[in-house]
Amino acid sequence: EDQVTQSPEALRLQEGESSSLNCSYTVSGLRGLFWYRQDPGKGPEFLFTLYSAGEEKEKERLKATLTKKESFLHITAPKPEDSATYLCAVHGTKTRNAGNMLTFGGGTRLMVKP
Amino acid sequence: NAGVTQTPKFRVLKTGQSMTLLCAQDMNHEYMYWYRQDPGMGLRLIHYSVGEGTTAKGEVPDGYNVSRLKKQNFLLGLESAAPSQTSVYFCASSTRTSGAPDTQYFGPGTRLTVL
């Protein structure tokens, strides 16, 4: 069974204070790891997909990296508008023929104070 | 493009009542999904569809039914609502590819309270 664990559950940062969010996963044959951002009262918004260990992707102040066991979402010099819940999800080989199902982690709630 | 839309946005039901949540997408996606999101539980898949006229069970299907009569619509039904079904429901859709998994795009959600 695919499993995803995100840590910490909540993270408070001062504006400009860089940090990282962790996503640890167990999956049979990783086909893709997804990062989403979710604002309160809204649906998840796609950020990145990583496909293989060693891959990195960047978008503004966010950088996602992937190893064989975990992914990190690095936030450099965050701003208050980066405050949101960040979700990690995996897609494995076993769910390839099951509608490409995703298994989600519980999320990390990020709060950036000015 | 509106993307993925959901109706209604909010609903309050009494135990035993029934209702249908509607999801619509205008991206011509083959796959559609219904999730529920509860505090501390993350997003859990209820049912999904890989094409018009097909549906399948996800992780937590009990108490729900779905239908996909048209490619662009995916309906989630609660026949006899229970307080345990109080949650936020999200619909998502994605294309079908033979290679790398495609991105799922989410709707804005429906907040359901069952009293």
Side-chain angles (χ1 to χ4, degrees):
Chain A
E1 182 179 329
D2 299 346
Q3 290 188 330
V4 178
T5 303
Q6 291 187 246
S7 61
E9 289 186 8
L11 180 63
R12 294 176 185 266
L13 298 174
Q14 288 296 129
E15 184 172 2
E17 180 186 3
S18 301
S19 187
S20 297
L21 313 182
N22 177 265
C23 170
S24 296
Y25 64 89
T26 304
V27 64
S28 278
L30 180 71
R31 299 189 69 238
L33 184 142
F34 298 79
W35 281 99
Y36 286 85
R37 169 191 171 127
Q38 186 175 23
D39 292 302
K42 296 190 176 181
E45 177 186 347
F46 171 71
L47 291 174
F48 306 108
T49 309
L50 302 169
Y51 296 105
S52 58
E55 188 175 1
E56 299 181 352
K57 287 192 177 175
E58 290 188 64
K59 180 180 180 180
E60 296 180 353
R61 295 176 293 282
L62 301 177
K63 178 180 178 180
T65 62
L66 181 65
T67 72
K68 289 186 177 180
K69 293 184 178 181
E70 57 193 349
S71 177
F72 292 94
L73 186 65
H74 306 278
I75 303 177
T76 302
K79 298 181 178 181
E81 52 262 42
D82 294 322
S83 297
T85 296
Y86 291 86
L87 303 173
C88 172
V90 297
H91 175 229
T93 303
K94 285 189 177 179
T95 58
R96 180 176 185 176
N97 295 321
N100 288 338
M101 291 165 53
L102 294 179
T103 300
F104 281 84
T108 293
R109 184 183 173 206
L110 174 67
M111 294 155 282
V112 182
K113 295 195 171 183
Chain B
N1 275 358
V4 180
T5 58
Q6 293 182 233
T7 53
K9 288 184 169 52
F10 303 94
R11 186 72 184 269
V12 178
L13 289 179
K14 294 182 179 178
T15 297
Q17 286 185 319
S18 63
M19 77 163 294
T20 300
L21 282 66
L22 172 63
C23 174
Q25 53 94 4
D26 61 2
M27 297 175 283
N28 201 34
H29 285 170
E30 288 290 340
Y31 293 172
M32 296 187 75
Y33 312 84
W34 275 108
Y35 292 88
R36 60 178 290 173
Q37 186 175 40
D38 304 291
M41 302 289 289
L43 281 158
R44 293 181 292 168
L45 184 65
I46 303 171
H47 286 280
Y48 66 95
S49 169
V50 299
E52 182 178 320
T54 71
T55 63
K57 294 180 180 180
E59 181 185 357
V60 289
D62 294 343
Y64 305 95
N65 57 75
V66 289
S67 64
R68 183 109 180 261
L69 299 180
K70 294 183 179 180
K71 184 177 182 179
Q72 63 268 34
N73 295 338
F74 196 27
L75 278 62
L76 178 71
L78 287 73
E79 290 187 348
S80 180
S84 60
Q85 294 178 305
T86 294
S87 187
V88 182
Y89 292 86
F90 289 100
C91 177
S93 70
S94 71
T95 58
R96 178 181 62 195
T97 60
S98 58
D102 217 331
T103 302
Q104 290 186 22
Y105 295 93
F106 285 80
T110 295
R111 184 174 295 275
L112 175 66
T113 301
V114 183
L115 302 175

